[in-house]
Amino acid sequence: MGLLRDAGVVYKPVEQIDLGPCSNESYFRADKAPRMAGFLLKIFAWFLESRIIGALLLYIVKKNNQVYKLVTNATLVEPPMFVPLHPIPDCISTELNQQEVKLIDSDASPPERAQEAIKCIPVTLKKSLDDLKPSCFVRWTIADYSRAYSTGAITPLRVAEHFIDAVRESCSPPLPMSFFINYDAEDILRQARESTLRYKRGIPISALDGVPIAIKDEIDCSPYPTTGGTKWLHKFRPCTGDACCVMRLRSCGAILVGKTNMHELGAGVSGINPHYGPIRNPYDPNKIAGGSSSGSAAVVSSGLCPVALGVDSGGSVRMPASLCGVVGFKPTFGCIPHSGVLPLNWTVGTVGILAATLEDAFIVYAAISGELPSHKPTTLPPKVHFPLLNSTNPISNIRFAKYGEWFNDCSDEIRICCSNAVNLLCEHYKWKTVGVTIPDIESMLLAHYVTISSECCTSLSSHMEKLDFAEIGWDVRVALRICGAFHGKEYIKAQKMRYRQMQIHNNVFTMADVIVAPTTGRTAYSISNDALKTGEVDCINGAALIRYQIAPNFLGLPAVTVPVGYDKAGLPIGLQFIGKPWSEPTLMHIAYAMQALCISDYRRPKVFYDLLNKK
């Protein structure tokens, strides 16, 4: 294809870029391919997998998506950055301007850290849903479960029985919700009996004791295989024990209720899995839940669990959280150990948390974050700070960086809803927005795609020769073929882009504390019948869903999404805050403040299970 070589972009050095609101840097919108599913998708996959026609198609796909122009043949003066590791400031609270925080012993155990987090959140007097106004919907929280168990209002065993009944009900026709790939009723009841006995004896391990928590099927959790949403991966990589994050939850007494469904190999944004069924959105079962941590978002949204774990590699926690109307939290890269997570994309992925409330995300974050004991540095460990969400003094002087053209590149309903939410936040707390320009967002998206694709294909390469392709969904067959089309030069260029964007974002953070944007460019779209058996390739909807997701993954930044409203069809809308490295306490303060202003307008999903009040 040398004769057809596309001229590449020559990127100007970072120090020459104007990041102000009146910058002449243009906002680039790439054209996207039309949707494919069913027989058309099969035909496209067959052509892609053929030797000659496949090579031509791959060239066309890369050309049409501007890969050659923006990545392959681009000129960048920056060096490559292969892993988005961030140095930990000597004094995090001072250097990051962290306000209203509490210093925690870095050697504290997971149960101790969970209890310290409980001390940082406001105490509520809620006893039951009957105490609330009829118009106000809230999901049960970790604190609610802990209080109900401690007072004897209900036992973990009874909740476990309610949970099992609800999961079975959710699997029933005409529209099975497909929340789980695996759950074991006997194992759940065993854990619940042990927790019930601890409460009876007055010795619960922590506030998480007896709380049902689901795990994305990309994370090892005994006694289940880790399938990655496939029918085959667990045959090559057996699960031999708990992932570190799961081990820490188990040590807190949490009831681990099973492995949630996900988009196969995390290779899509819809959550339509042809092997285990499409994960359906509790707000409208005819709509997608988003991906790839689809099941984890849906079980929290539907009330089955107050918290679930996911893995966020390209918005895979924040996107489904937004579509399903729950909180989605992705910490700084390296903050939560990745041990025991499928090694599909080791420089962009991190364990994330989907939760009913910001407080619940905080409690679980407290329990599972921190280095592995075997990985501790020889120097003094970093100081750990938790946000004092119960402080009567709100944090002050917060500046939100808002890139107008990017912020507004979404549906009108999302733009208006998110703009109103930001304005409300600023008016209530006397915070302010700062206009900025973040250049080359589409280039960063492509560089992230080259990176995640290369890492995924490398991780799976030892299995592919032994694999029967009939076991792979058609959409994932297309994805894997495209992912395998990138070469070393493109990977290096992508890492140069990573370093460049890291410097750009660092400069933006000199002007503001947090970047604010919608979480997705559209709300959940319909599940089409032609995609049920093959999956789908929908680049237009996919681009809208992933538009605001990439920087936190590619650059290792913390981010959180909070529900702030609904579209005309009653589908949730999320607002996202992206922070500086290690600024989790500030992000949580902001997200908690946003939640407090919106929570009275939260709506009950069409599919919802009340485990504590079940008659």
Side-chain angles (χ1 to χ4, degrees), residues 34-255:
R35 177 183 179 275
M36 289 183 287
F39 184 68
L40 179 60
L41 181 59
K42 291 182 180 182
I43 293 293
F44 186 66
W46 285 329
F47 279 138
L48 266 184
E49 291 165 358
S50 67
R51 186 179 298 274
I52 298 176
I53 298 177
L56 177 61
L57 280 177
L58 287 170
Y59 172 79
I60 294 172
V61 168
K62 291 171 71 173
K63 178 180 174 66
N64 287 350
N65 284 277
Q66 306 293 323
V67 174
Y68 295 118
K69 178 180 178 180
L70 300 180
V71 179
T72 311
N73 300 324
T75 300
L76 301 94
V77 298
E78 289 80 15
M81 180 181 196
F82 294 99
V83 182
L85 290 173
H86 299 278
I88 302 174
D90 293 332
C91 184
I92 291 181
S93 61
T94 301
E95 293 188 33
L96 294 178
N97 190 30
Q98 307 269 40
Q99 306 172 50
E100 299 300 320
V101 295
K102 178 180 181 181
L103 182 62
I104 303 299
D105 180 3
S106 59
D107 289 324
S109 67
E112 290 170 337
R113 290 166 68 104
Q115 289 308 107
E116 288 295 335
I118 283 285
K119 296 176 184 177
C120 295
I121 65 175
V123 176
T124 61
L125 300 177
K126 172 160 55 77
K127 301 294 184 182
S128 72
L129 290 182
D130 295 334
D131 297 330
L132 300 170
K133 296 179 181 179
S135 61
C136 182
F137 165 73
V138 293
R139 295 177 175 87
W140 291 112
T141 67
I142 290 169
D144 293 327
Y145 278 92
S146 180
R147 187 182 304 108
Y149 296 155
S150 297
T151 60
I154 199 169
T155 66
L157 180 58
R158 190 68 181 135
V159 165
E161 291 168 345
H162 290 171
F163 171 86
I164 293 166
D165 290 343
V167 173
R168 288 172 178 161
E169 181 183 334
S170 76
C171 297
S172 304
L175 288 178
M177 300 298 288
S178 306
F179 290 145
F180 286 91
I181 288 178
N182 262 311
Y183 75 99
D184 184 324
E186 284 305 313
D187 183 68
I188 294 169
L189 292 173
R190 176 190 60 78
Q191 296 176 73
R193 291 188 191 100
E194 293 172 357
S195 178
T196 298
L197 185 58
R198 289 192 292 270
Y199 276 101
K200 185 176 181 180
R201 292 174 174 173
I203 51 170
I205 299 172
S206 74
L208 287 169
D209 203 333
V211 175
I213 297 181
I215 310 296
K216 182 182 183 181
D217 204 7
E218 193 177 336
I219 304 171
D220 288 342
C221 177
S222 296
Y224 307 101
T226 302
T227 72
T230 73
K231 284 291 190 180
W232 54 270
L233 187 55
H234 59 287
K235 301 173 186 175
F236 298 104
R237 181 195 174 275
C239 173
T240 57
D242 289 338
C244 177
C245 54
V246 172
M247 193 182 308
R248 288 174 174 177
L249 288 177
R250 202 183 291 276
S251 73
C252 292
I255 299 177

Side-chain angles (χ1 to χ4, degrees), residues 407-424:
F407 190 104
N408 295 332
D409 192 9
C410 55
S411 71
D412 287 343
E413 289 179 282
I414 291 177
R415 175 180 55 79
I416 294 169
C417 179
C418 289
S419 294
N420 289 343
V422 174
N423 292 338
L424 179 64

Side-chain angles (χ1 to χ4, degrees), residues 489-503:
K489 175 185 174 182
E490 290 165 328
Y491 187 79
I492 296 296
K493 289 283 181 74
Q495 307 322 300
K496 290 164 74 75
M497 180 65 70
R498 175 183 263 165
Y499 183 88
R500 183 172 187 274
Q501 282 291 334
M502 190 78 80
Q503 304 313 306

Side-chain angles (χ1 to χ4, degrees), residues 456-476:
C456 182
C457 282
T458 301
S459 174
L460 298 174
S461 59
S462 61
H463 309 318
M464 299 310 290
E465 291 183 2
K466 314 168 193 173
L467 186 62
D468 179 1
F469 266 53
E471 292 188 275
I472 307 177
W474 289 96
D475 60 329
V476 176

